[in-house]
Every structure is written in C-alpha cells, then in structure tokens.
Amino acid sequence: MSGLTEANLKMLAGARSFERGRGYLDAVSGVEVGGEGWVTASVHGSERYEVELSLDGPGGLSGECDCPYGLEGNFCKHLVAVGLTVLARSEGLPLQWKAARDRAQDLDSWLSALSKDELLALVREQVGEDRRLRHRLELRAASARGDIASVRARIRELLDIGPFAQYGYVEYADARAYADQAGQVVSAIGGLTGSGRAADAIILVREAMKLLAGAVESVDDSDGWLGSVGAGLADAHLAACRAARPDPEELARWLIGHALGELDDGLTDIDPLDYEDVLGTEGLVVLRKLAVQAWQANRRGWAEKHLMERLAKARGDVDAVIAVHAADLAPNGHTHLVIARELDTARRPAEALCWAERGIREARDLAAVDTALVDHLCDRYTQADRLAETVALRRDHFCARRTLLTYQQLRAAARAADCWPAEREDALALLRADAEQRQPGRCGGPALVDALLDDKDVEAAWQAATETGADDRQWLTLADHVRATRPTDALGVYLRLIEPLTAQTGNAIYEQLVSLLLRIRDCHRRLESPEEFTGYVTALRTAQKRKRNLMRLMDEHHL
C-alpha cells in the first residue's frame, strides 16, 4: 500500500485526469481485492469499463483500464477513481488481502485433492456453461492433435463478422465482442507453435491476417480493439518464424510484400528488421535488394520510402537515408529540413547548412515554406554569428507572410543585429499598405494594429485602428490600454461591443457581457459619473430580467 497515495495517483494520471477521476467515485462498483496486491473493479462512465490496479508490482503502482484512453497505455480517470476508492477503504485492505490469499490457497488445495475423473467432470461442467471457454478448449484440442483443417476452419469462424453484423457491418456496440472472439485466434496459433507445429502456424497466421484485414473494413473499430488483435497476430508470426526457421528468401519476399501494403491494410504492423535473426545474412541481402527495387519503381510511395529509410538507418548509412529523401523533395522545403537534421545528427554541419539553404532557394512560395525550416536556418546563422543573414531571411519571410509572428521574429533578429529602427519602419510601411487594401468583411483585423500593440505603441495602434479599421478583439485590447488615460474613448468601445451581446444567450455570452459591464463601471468611475452607470445597468436589468443566469452573475459582481 505504500505506493498508493493521492500524490502518486496525481503524478501517474496528470492533474486533469486526476481531477476528473474524483468525479467518478460514485461510479465505482464490484471492488475485488486479490491476494497478490491487485484490485479489480468496474467503473460506469459512458460505458462500463473494467479496471485493474496493481498496488505493489515490480514497477510500483500501476494499472490497466479497457477504456480507449487506458488502452493507449495511459493512467486514466477510471484508475484514479478506483485508487481513491481503495484509499478510502485502506484500513480494511490487509484483512481483505489475507482473506483473498486464504481463498486462493483453499481453492488450490481443493483442486489438487480432486481425482482425474472429478477434475474432468468439473471441466466438462464449466465447458457446458461457458461458450467462450468451450471454443478456446476446442481450438487447443485441435492444435494439440495437429488437425490443421479443423484449426483453419475454426479460425475462419472466429474471424467471421456474420454473427455480429445485422446488415453486413459490426456496429460500435458489438465491436469489442467481435474482437474478443477474434483474439482467440492468437492463442490458437501460439498453441500450434508451442506444440511443435510452427510451420503450420506460419501458414495459418498469414491466412488470419488476410481475413482480419478483410473484416476490419466492416467493423466500427473506433476503440482500436482489432489493432490489438493484429498486434497479437504479428507477435505470433514472429514467434512461429523463430521456431520453424522458414526459407530466408521466401520470408524476405513475404515481409517486403507485407511492408508495402500488398498483403493487408497495415492492421498488423510488422517491422522486417525484427526478423533479422531469422533471415540471416542470406535473407537480409534479399530483403534489401527487394526494398531497393520497390523504391526505385516508386520513389514517391510512402511505404517504399519508409522501408528504405528504416533499412538505411539500421545500417547507419546516412547517405542512403538522404538519397531516399532527396528523390522526393517537398516544394515547401520540409524534406530539405529532414535531410539537414539527419546530417546534423551525423555531425556533418556544413552539408546540413547547404541543404537548409537549398530548401529556401527552391521553395516555390516563401509564404508557404515550412516555418520550421526558416527557424532552423536562422538558428544556424545566429550560432555562426551571421546576424545580417538571419535578418535578411527573417525580412524575406515577413515580406512573404506579413503576420504578427513573422513581425516578432524579424524584430528579435534585427534587435540582435542592432538594426531594428530601420527594419521596423519598412515593416510597418508594408503592414500599413496591407491594412489600407484590406477587403471589407475580411475575417480578422489588420496585422498592423497587432504589431503596434506588440511594440507597446498604443497611440499609434489606436490611430491605425481609427484610420484603417480593426476587429472587435483589437478594439477591446486598445480600449483596455487607454482606459486609464482616455476613459471616454474606452467607454465608447465597450458600449459598442456590449450591444450585440444583449441579444444573445448562453453562459459564455453572459460572462463576456458582465466582463464588459465591469469595464464600463470603471470608466464611469474615472469620469465621475456613477449615476449614469446606475441608470444604464437598471435599464439593462429590466430588459434582460428573463435571463436568470445573467441576473445571478450580475448579482455576484454587485452590478
């Protein structure tokens, strides 16, 4: 129990999931304590989820939950809820653990004392009551006696969506049940490998992969259950190959076909390099040869490029990795950046810089260039004390995009190079020209106002907004800046912004409205006209009295 604390639960789950878990305490049911430091329970949320919390495992406190977030390996809110429930009952846990251990020992002793006939009778009774257990044992029996035809037929039955699909499609509500049934295929194939029939297991697992790939298109697998089955099949295939040692060339060809998506739709994610010990030198030569041929035939194919990159990196061949990327350069410079980073990692900075510069030169449109490439190149120029080139690149990028962000980046570079005043004048001239040419009704205010505000040049920003226009967000920011010195101007902005809100409903609207009322009250206080504000609020209350949440919010703020 030492590892089960609120602090550890919060650390594992994160603040957000921890707080959400508090809200699920009443949803925890069926808490069962095991004798080996685990607790299981059900948590009822949008669905019923099964949770297992390990209190004293080798890695400390841990847990599993079958909710979508938990299946991704996260410590979810349901685990938090069970953990907090256990903490609340911690005084009785030692006795519950002792009782669980005693029950387990009693059960083991009882089973050990039964005769063979009594055990068979017990198993037959359970098989008669539990259909899933019967199916699992039927598969094991067929695997044990080497009845491949029966195992193949049973695998096809398990992967058939028919019993779960009303109209040829497995709905979300039935997807997990189908996946649970399909998962029995993995254990059946593992049983074949374990009983010395690994060669047969290879054949059947490949057939199962194709069947699963065909079924997935007709299943709402939003929670990824079939992905888990696919991963299990991939593991079963690798284990069977290691046991059977198939022909290296045949295996290499199959792996290439699988990696290129010719055999399924990627549900069983297999890395050919995991088979390095099975392929041996001969198989690896064939694998690399086939990969190169596939890539040369389709240099822009994602699967072909990924496979080639994976093989090249495994050999530490940086030039081969670069060749793969260089054969399909993106017009926005992203691929040039990938190459530059690979060369930097390989400690070849001069070549990396050349590729980054080439990416900028070859970009068809600097406005659409990968901004990460611009940042990367500017960082390299700055590190080399090439500040003039940093400013030039930031200037070119700003001229192409003319946003607040590119303005800020140009300002930072120019200040470092001690040339900001001249750069600022030219940059603002471009932004002013853009503001004057803005089309009416265009979404968002002019970047000129944002840039001047970011420069803390409030008066110039107010003048620009007056002359070229601004959106409501910008006017609100301007009013907040001038409220202390020009309350009349600020008041005019607030009154204009509040008017359309009075015709809308919703708590978010009411919060905005009250926020503006507080600003309006401050303006009247500065103008020494509180009675005018009182009259405004009285009239507003009369007109909005049916909006009870608004009235409550105004009361809370003494409005």
PDB file of all heavy atoms in Angstrom, residues 307-318:
ATOM      1  N   LEU A 307      10.294   2.112 -45.754  1.00  0.00           N
ATOM      2  CA  LEU A 307      11.062   0.877 -45.662  1.00  0.00           C
ATOM      3  C   LEU A 307      12.533   1.119 -45.975  1.00  0.00           C
ATOM      4  O   LEU A 307      13.424   0.649 -45.253  1.00  0.00           O
ATOM      5  CB  LEU A 307      10.481  -0.163 -46.622  1.00  0.00           C
ATOM      6  CG  LEU A 307      11.187  -1.526 -46.674  1.00  0.00           C
ATOM      7  CD1 LEU A 307      11.189  -2.177 -45.302  1.00  0.00           C
ATOM      8  CD2 LEU A 307      10.511  -2.430 -47.698  1.00  0.00           C
ATOM      9  N   MET A 308      12.794   1.872 -47.033  1.00  0.00           N
ATOM     10  CA  MET A 308      14.182   2.162 -47.400  1.00  0.00           C
ATOM     11  C   MET A 308      14.885   2.949 -46.303  1.00  0.00           C
ATOM     12  O   MET A 308      16.043   2.677 -45.960  1.00  0.00           O
ATOM     13  CB  MET A 308      14.219   2.945 -48.716  1.00  0.00           C
ATOM     14  CG  MET A 308      14.104   2.089 -49.957  1.00  0.00           C
ATOM     15  SD  MET A 308      15.539   0.997 -50.175  1.00  0.00           S
ATOM     16  CE  MET A 308      16.848   2.202 -50.407  1.00  0.00           C
ATOM     17  N   GLU A 309      14.180   3.941 -45.751  1.00  0.00           N
ATOM     18  CA  GLU A 309      14.765   4.742 -44.674  1.00  0.00           C
ATOM     19  C   GLU A 309      15.072   3.871 -43.461  1.00  0.00           C
ATOM     20  O   GLU A 309      16.119   4.005 -42.826  1.00  0.00           O
ATOM     21  CB  GLU A 309      13.813   5.871 -44.299  1.00  0.00           C
ATOM     22  CG  GLU A 309      14.368   6.795 -43.217  1.00  0.00           C
ATOM     23  CD  GLU A 309      13.368   7.855 -42.801  1.00  0.00           C
ATOM     24  OE1 GLU A 309      12.237   7.865 -43.334  1.00  0.00           O
ATOM     25  OE2 GLU A 309      13.715   8.674 -41.927  1.00  0.00           O
ATOM     26  N   ARG A 310      14.139   2.986 -43.139  1.00  0.00           N
ATOM     27  CA  ARG A 310      14.318   2.099 -41.977  1.00  0.00           C
ATOM     28  C   ARG A 310      15.544   1.205 -42.158  1.00  0.00           C
ATOM     29  O   ARG A 310      16.356   1.048 -41.253  1.00  0.00           O
ATOM     30  CB  ARG A 310      13.056   1.246 -41.830  1.00  0.00           C
ATOM     31  CG  ARG A 310      13.064   0.313 -40.632  1.00  0.00           C
ATOM     32  CD  ARG A 310      12.662   1.029 -39.372  1.00  0.00           C
ATOM     33  NE  ARG A 310      12.637   0.099 -38.252  1.00  0.00           N
ATOM     34  CZ  ARG A 310      13.726  -0.222 -37.537  1.00  0.00           C
ATOM     35  NH1 ARG A 310      14.895   0.305 -37.835  1.00  0.00           N
ATOM     36  NH2 ARG A 310      13.634  -1.065 -36.526  1.00  0.00           N
ATOM     37  N   LEU A 311      15.689   0.616 -43.343  1.00  0.00           N
ATOM     38  CA  LEU A 311      16.819  -0.267 -43.604  1.00  0.00           C
ATOM     39  C   LEU A 311      18.139   0.499 -43.606  1.00  0.00           C
ATOM     40  O   LEU A 311      19.158   0.018 -43.097  1.00  0.00           O
ATOM     41  CB  LEU A 311      16.616  -0.981 -44.945  1.00  0.00           C
ATOM     42  CG  LEU A 311      15.461  -2.007 -44.992  1.00  0.00           C
ATOM     43  CD1 LEU A 311      15.239  -2.482 -46.414  1.00  0.00           C
ATOM     44  CD2 LEU A 311      15.747  -3.172 -44.068  1.00  0.00           C
ATOM     45  N   ALA A 312      18.120   1.699 -44.193  1.00  0.00           N
ATOM     46  CA  ALA A 312      19.347   2.501 -44.252  1.00  0.00           C
ATOM     47  C   ALA A 312      19.781   2.932 -42.858  1.00  0.00           C
ATOM     48  O   ALA A 312      20.970   2.896 -42.525  1.00  0.00           O
ATOM     49  CB  ALA A 312      19.120   3.719 -45.145  1.00  0.00           C
ATOM     50  N   LYS A 313      18.831   3.342 -42.036  1.00  0.00           N
ATOM     51  CA  LYS A 313      19.176   3.760 -40.667  1.00  0.00           C
ATOM     52  C   LYS A 313      19.706   2.589 -39.847  1.00  0.00           C
ATOM     53  O   LYS A 313      20.597   2.761 -39.010  1.00  0.00           O
ATOM     54  CB  LYS A 313      17.960   4.387 -39.999  1.00  0.00           C
ATOM     55  CG  LYS A 313      17.661   5.801 -40.465  1.00  0.00           C
ATOM     56  CD  LYS A 313      16.555   6.436 -39.646  1.00  0.00           C
ATOM     57  CE  LYS A 313      16.362   7.902 -40.032  1.00  0.00           C
ATOM     58  NZ  LYS A 313      15.307   8.562 -39.221  1.00  0.00           N
ATOM     59  N   ALA A 314      19.146   1.421 -40.073  1.00  0.00           N
ATOM     60  CA  ALA A 314      19.608   0.246 -39.336  1.00  0.00           C
ATOM     61  C   ALA A 314      21.075  -0.058 -39.647  1.00  0.00           C
ATOM     62  O   ALA A 314      21.810  -0.567 -38.797  1.00  0.00           O
ATOM     63  CB  ALA A 314      18.741  -0.961 -39.680  1.00  0.00           C
ATOM     64  N   ARG A 315      21.497   0.278 -40.859  1.00  0.00           N
ATOM     65  CA  ARG A 315      22.898   0.052 -41.257  1.00  0.00           C
ATOM     66  C   ARG A 315      23.780   1.262 -40.949  1.00  0.00           C
ATOM     67  O   ARG A 315      24.985   1.220 -41.170  1.00  0.00           O
ATOM     68  CB  ARG A 315      22.973  -0.248 -42.751  1.00  0.00           C
ATOM     69  CG  ARG A 315      22.222  -1.495 -43.175  1.00  0.00           C
ATOM     70  CD  ARG A 315      22.273  -1.698 -44.666  1.00  0.00           C
ATOM     71  NE  ARG A 315      23.616  -1.965 -45.143  1.00  0.00           N
ATOM     72  CZ  ARG A 315      23.949  -2.101 -46.424  1.00  0.00           C
ATOM     73  NH1 ARG A 315      23.016  -1.959 -47.355  1.00  0.00           N
ATOM     74  NH2 ARG A 315      25.181  -2.346 -46.773  1.00  0.00           N
ATOM     75  N   GLY A 316      23.165   2.341 -40.464  1.00  0.00           N
ATOM     76  CA  GLY A 316      23.935   3.550 -40.192  1.00  0.00           C
ATOM     77  C   GLY A 316      24.389   4.251 -41.448  1.00  0.00           C
ATOM     78  O   GLY A 316      25.378   4.997 -41.437  1.00  0.00           O
ATOM     79  N   ASP A 317      23.669   4.045 -42.551  1.00  0.00           N
ATOM     80  CA  ASP A 317      24.044   4.609 -43.853  1.00  0.00           C
ATOM     81  C   ASP A 317      23.299   5.940 -44.055  1.00  0.00           C
ATOM     82  O   ASP A 317      22.220   5.985 -44.642  1.00  0.00           O
ATOM     83  CB  ASP A 317      23.694   3.613 -44.952  1.00  0.00           C
ATOM     84  CG  ASP A 317      24.278   4.008 -46.305  1.00  0.00           C
ATOM     85  OD1 ASP A 317      24.682   5.170 -46.451  1.00  0.00           O
ATOM     86  OD2 ASP A 317      24.303   3.144 -47.206  1.00  0.00           O
ATOM     87  N   VAL A 318      23.878   7.018 -43.580  1.00  0.00           N
ATOM     88  CA  VAL A 318      23.246   8.330 -43.663  1.00  0.00           C
ATOM     89  C   VAL A 318      23.049   8.758 -45.107  1.00  0.00           C
ATOM     90  O   VAL A 318      22.017   9.340 -45.467  1.00  0.00           O
ATOM     91  CB  VAL A 318      24.088   9.386 -42.909  1.00  0.00           C
ATOM     92  CG1 VAL A 318      23.466  10.767 -43.054  1.00  0.00           C
ATOM     93  CG2 VAL A 318      24.216   9.010 -41.443  1.00  0.00           C
TER      94      VAL A 318
END
